[in-house]
Amino acid sequence: MTMSSDGQVIIIAMERSDAIGRSDLYISYRQKGGHWSTPKNLGPGVNSLWREATPHLSENGTSLYFSSDRGSQTAGGSDIFVQHRLDDDWERWSAPQRFRAPINSSAHDSHPYFNEATGYLYFNSNRDGSSDIYRVQVKAPKV
């Protein structure tokens, strides 16, 4: 699960009967009284026939990082992808972009976290035989 910095939106990886794949990303909105809306599938623009998991929403709420084992699109295991919101609507996203090496590898790469201040993407990978945390600078630091 990941939450927007204003606490009004959560994106959850779940297995449900309305899933497109094995697990999908769903969105839920904070309602009056602190309740949450029923999770809504983000649809085929985000989800695939495979497994989407470990979502992370950027601090400004415009980029969604997640892992997926999208069949032949991945280098091995799960890979890390990013999509960008196209407008103020939380349900319209750009096409998923798969990160290349050194972020994705032939191993299982997941649990992305992007730090906007430093420009580093942190992630988990078992590429060296154990589960470790890695970081790669993908953008210039915010000044």
Side-chain angles (χ1 to χ4, degrees), residues 69-80:
D69 61 353
R70 293 172 181 234
S72 62
Q73 291 183 13
T74 64
S78 286
D79 281 347
I80 297 171

Side-chain angles (χ1 to χ4, degrees), residues 15 31 34 37 100-101 112:
E15 293 183 22
Q31 305 292 301
S37 67
R100 296 185 177 150

Side-chain angles (χ1 to χ4, degrees), residues 5 7-8 22-23 27-28 38 48 52 54 64-66 70 74 82 91-92 96 112 117 126 129:
S5 59
Q8 298 302 304
R22 291 187 306 162
S23 74
I27 191 162
S28 182
T38 300
S48 70
E52 279 67 51
T54 68
L64 176 62
Y65 300 83
F66 60 94
R70 293 172 181 234
T74 64
V82 64
E91 298 174 32
R92 293 195 42 205
N126 64 1

Side-chain angles (χ1 to χ4, degrees), residues 79-97:
D79 281 347
I80 297 171
F81 292 79
V82 64
Q83 292 187 247
H84 306 285
R85 233 171 6 131
L86 296 176
D87 52 30
D88 290 337
D89 182 348
W90 283 90
E91 298 174 32
R92 293 195 42 205
W93 297 87
S94 67
Q97 298 173 332

Side-chain angles (χ1 to χ4, degrees), residues 21-135:
R22 291 187 306 162
S23 74
D24 284 355
L25 300 182
Y26 291 78
I27 191 162
S28 182
Y29 304 95
R30 185 181 297 271
Q31 305 292 301
K32 291 184 174 155
H35 298 282
W36 291 91
S37 67
T38 300
K40 180 179 179 184
N41 191 302
L42 281 174
V46 173
N47 295 304
S48 70
L49 295 175
W50 303 92
R51 179 179 184 263
E52 279 67 51
T54 68
H56 168 70
L57 193 57
S58 64
E59 185 178 328
N60 64 10
T62 61
S63 299
L64 176 62
Y65 300 83
F66 60 94
S67 61
S68 178
D69 61 353
R70 293 172 181 234
S72 62
Q73 291 183 13
T74 64
S78 286
D79 281 347
I80 297 171
F81 292 79
V82 64
Q83 292 187 247
H84 306 285
R85 233 171 6 131
L86 296 176
D87 52 30
D88 290 337
D89 182 348
W90 283 90
E91 298 174 32
R92 293 195 42 205
W93 297 87
S94 67
Q97 298 173 332
R98 183 184 154 281
F99 283 96
R100 296 185 177 150
I103 294 170
N104 287 317
S105 69
S106 61
H108 179 76
D109 306 302
S110 64
H111 295 84
Y113 171 82
F114 178 66
N115 183 305
E116 288 188 36
T118 65
Y120 279 104
L121 178 69
Y122 294 83
F123 59 96
N124 176 272
S125 179
N126 64 1
R127 65 188 63 186
D128 290 332
S130 65
S131 187
D132 291 317
I133 298 172
Y134 294 82
R135 76 174 187 169

